[in-house]
Amino acid sequence: MWRDESVTYQVAHRSLDELWGLLSQIDAVHGLYYLLMHAVFAVWDGGLLALRLPSVAATALAAAGVGAIGTRLAGRRAGTLAGLVFAVLPLTQQYAQEGRSYALVTAGVTWAAYFLLRATADSRARWWTAYALTLVLASWLHEFAAPALVAHGLTLWRSRPERRDAWRWAIAAVAVGTSLLPLAVISAGQAEAQLGWLGRPSLSAWLLFAGLSAAAVALCRLLLRVGAPGAVPLTRLALPLLIAPAGLLMTISLIKPWYVDRYVLYGMTGLALPAGTALAWAIGQRHRLAPAARMLTACLLAGAAVAVLLPWSLLVRSPESRKDDVVAVARVVERQAHKGDGVLFMPSRRREWLLSHPGVYGRLDDLALAESPAVSRTLQGTELKAAEIRRHILATDRIVTLQDPPGQPLDAVPEEEVKRRTLRAHFEVCERTGVHGAQVVVYVRRGVIPC
């Protein structure tokens, strides 16, 4: 479990009153997801399995949606292969086994695209209603699902729809935007706290975006050149979905950082569709090869796929694929801490590392805590003033500290500075244990108690 999953876990275990109080201050963008997870834990408090099960189910649902779109546009084989390609993409696998909302958003946006296809082919209003309601649900799970409307609009524009369909899509888009307006207003007020940690997209992010886009364009050009079934409508749907939402957020982020790849995870649908269709076309050409050449080609392609995908697949299932490992931190603290020891979080936001392990956290005396997360309606609680923190530290002989790894920038605020200064002046390091993304350092009062 990494820090974002820990937030989901501890917030979803709050009462509805406490949860509502939190959302009025921060994380309103995740409000519907937290309510869903609150319901999941109310039915079955199954720990990490319960935390991640909705994401697993949503990814399966999204893969089925990719398959349904591919089948409708390019045939059953293409749909099946597109769904399989979607499922094995490393980014899909990463968020399939993470307790956050992104897999659910992807399922919603993918099925909204399917309903859009049905709506433009069938004049009955139920498909437009399904399209609008599904996109509303996805956008309330995370409001950055809304840029999918831009992709769908481009798809319709390139398809030269009938005037009636254009108007119905416009009405659906207005309905989605209107329903999202309350969430947008609330989250705009929380934007600094919510997205203040983001920087502008890095060079590697731009290169990844360019590489994926180029691969999808190349696949679509191949399908068009060979005249693969459904190549034209599939290209019109897939490329905007992959490129437009991510490109829009990345461009905006040059001015105001908003972009993280997981916010537009649903763009992977736009990559899986042409990839699956290209595989289906290639399989359809197998009769042109001699049996021996056919077998050799199949083995080479399968070997290349395993060689490329297996290392990534294993990586995203390891703690090293995340920024930290909350479970590992809690285990170290449980092993090293004595009941009644003081604990300091340096910086204070690292309190998240223990909040999802109340059995471990409850054994310790939080020396800097002013109000708990639930009482203060915050994610990690509020801390005392610097002078009070110093007084509490000096009244304690043994302190467990949870810190960022060496080399990370230090928060230059009085409360954090007084923690570091007081520990240096009056304590000595008894034990230092590094774990992925963190370190647990035990201090004892100099000359008072032995290590």
Side-chain angles (χ1 to χ4, degrees):
M1 188 197 300
W2 76 294
R3 67 183 70 162
D4 279 15
E5 288 186 294
S6 178
V7 170
T8 300
Y9 187 86
Q10 60 100 354
V11 167
H13 278 83
R14 298 189 191 185
S15 69
L16 288 177
D17 284 344
E18 291 169 344
L19 184 51
W20 183 255
L22 170 73
L23 298 179
S24 66
Q25 303 296 321
I26 194 172
D27 258 9
V29 66
H30 298 298
L32 181 59
Y33 176 66
Y34 289 155
L35 288 170
L36 169 65
M37 295 309 301
H38 179 86
V40 168
F41 286 122
V43 173
W44 175 49
D45 200 347
L48 270 174
L49 183 57
L51 176 67
R52 291 173 174 162
L53 191 58
S55 293
V56 177
T59 301
L61 186 62
V66 175
I69 293 171
T71 298
R72 183 163 187 84
L73 293 178
R76 181 169 296 178
R77 179 187 291 164
T80 302
L81 290 170
L84 290 172
V85 168
F86 176 84
V88 301
L89 289 173
L91 203 60
T92 301
Q93 294 186 40
Q94 178 171 342
Y95 294 104
Q97 41 95 39
E98 184 166 298
R100 296 297 277 175
S101 64
Y102 308 110
L104 283 79
V105 173
T106 298
V109 172
T110 300
W111 278 99
Y114 172 78
F115 293 138
L116 177 65
L117 291 177
R118 296 300 303 266
T120 54
D122 188 329
S123 60
R124 285 176 291 184
R126 66 182 184 180
W127 295 115
W128 286 109
T129 302
Y131 169 73
L133 290 178
T134 305
L135 209 48
V136 166
L137 177 61
S139 298
W140 271 87
L141 284 166
H142 196 290
E143 60 188 325
F144 283 165
L149 281 169
V150 177
H152 296 162
L154 289 171
T155 296
L156 276 179
W157 174 68
R158 294 180 66 197
S159 303
R160 302 184 185 278
E162 296 181 8
R163 183 184 297 268
R164 177 186 59 191
D165 288 337
W167 275 108
R168 287 180 174 177
W169 176 81
I171 292 170
V174 169
V176 172
T178 302
S179 72
L180 196 59
L181 191 58
L183 177 61
V185 171
I186 295 171
S187 60
Q190 302 174 356
E192 188 58 36
Q194 192 76 49
L195 299 175
W197 60 275
L198 281 177
R200 291 178 175 81
S202 64
L203 176 61
S204 61
W206 282 105
L207 290 175
L208 179 61
F209 171 68
L212 293 177
S213 300
V217 169
L219 287 169
C220 288
R221 288 177 64 88
L222 170 66
L223 295 173
L224 292 170
R225 187 166 61 248
V226 300
V232 173
L234 187 139
T235 298
R236 290 171 177 168
L237 176 70
L239 291 183
L241 190 56
L242 174 64
I243 297 172
L248 178 63
L249 288 183
M250 292 182 79
T251 302
I252 291 173
S253 294
L254 295 175
I255 302 171
K256 184 71 174 176
W258 279 4
Y259 174 78
V260 181
D261 57 2
R262 59 182 176 264
Y263 293 169
V264 287
L265 177 64
Y266 52 82
M268 291 300 98
T269 295
L271 178 62
L273 284 168
T277 305
L279 282 174
W281 172 81
I283 291 172
Q285 305 302 306
R286 66 188 184 279
H287 63 276
R288 297 187 177 185
L289 297 175
R294 192 182 308 166
M295 180 62 67
L296 178 61
T297 302
C299 290
L300 288 174
L301 289 175
V306 170
V308 171
L309 293 175
L310 185 60
W312 282 0
S313 182
L314 294 175
L315 176 62
V316 300
R317 284 166 171 76
S318 70
E320 287 70 30
S321 66
R322 306 306 198 274
K323 291 181 178 179
D324 52 21
D325 184 354
V326 171
V327 174
V329 172
R331 285 174 178 164
V332 171
V333 173
E334 185 175 30
R335 185 173 64 247
Q336 295 183 352
H338 302 162
K339 185 174 177 58
D341 280 353
V343 63
L344 287 173
F345 301 93
M346 305 168 62
S348 62
R349 56 186 174 275
R350 299 299 173 247
R351 188 171 281 107
E352 189 57 60
W353 286 338
L354 288 189
L355 289 178
S356 54
H357 292 78
V360 178
Y361 183 44
R363 294 169 49 196
L364 305 172
D365 180 15
D366 194 336
L367 302 177
L369 185 67
E371 288 187 324
S372 70
V375 171
S376 62
R377 299 181 174 186
T378 61
L379 291 176
Q380 286 93 29
T382 57
E383 295 210 331
L384 299 164
K385 297 296 184 183
E388 193 73 4
I389 293 174
R390 183 177 186 277
R391 187 175 68 81
H392 285 187
I393 293 174
L394 293 177
T396 308
D397 291 332
R398 193 172 191 273
I399 300 173
V400 179
T401 68
L402 281 71
Q403 305 179 27
D404 286 332
Q408 295 296 308
L410 302 175
D411 285 18
V413 296
E415 292 77 12
E416 297 301 331
E417 289 177 344
V418 79
K419 294 175 190 176
R420 299 191 292 267
R421 187 169 60 248
T422 307
L423 288 172
R424 279 196 307 268
H426 300 279
F427 290 77
E428 61 182 342
V429 174
C430 178
E431 190 171 4
R432 184 186 301 270
T433 305
V435 293
H436 176 58
Q439 58 176 334
V440 179
V441 186
V442 179
Y443 289 85
V444 295
R445 180 72 72 93
R446 187 176 294 118
V448 175
I449 63 172
C451 240

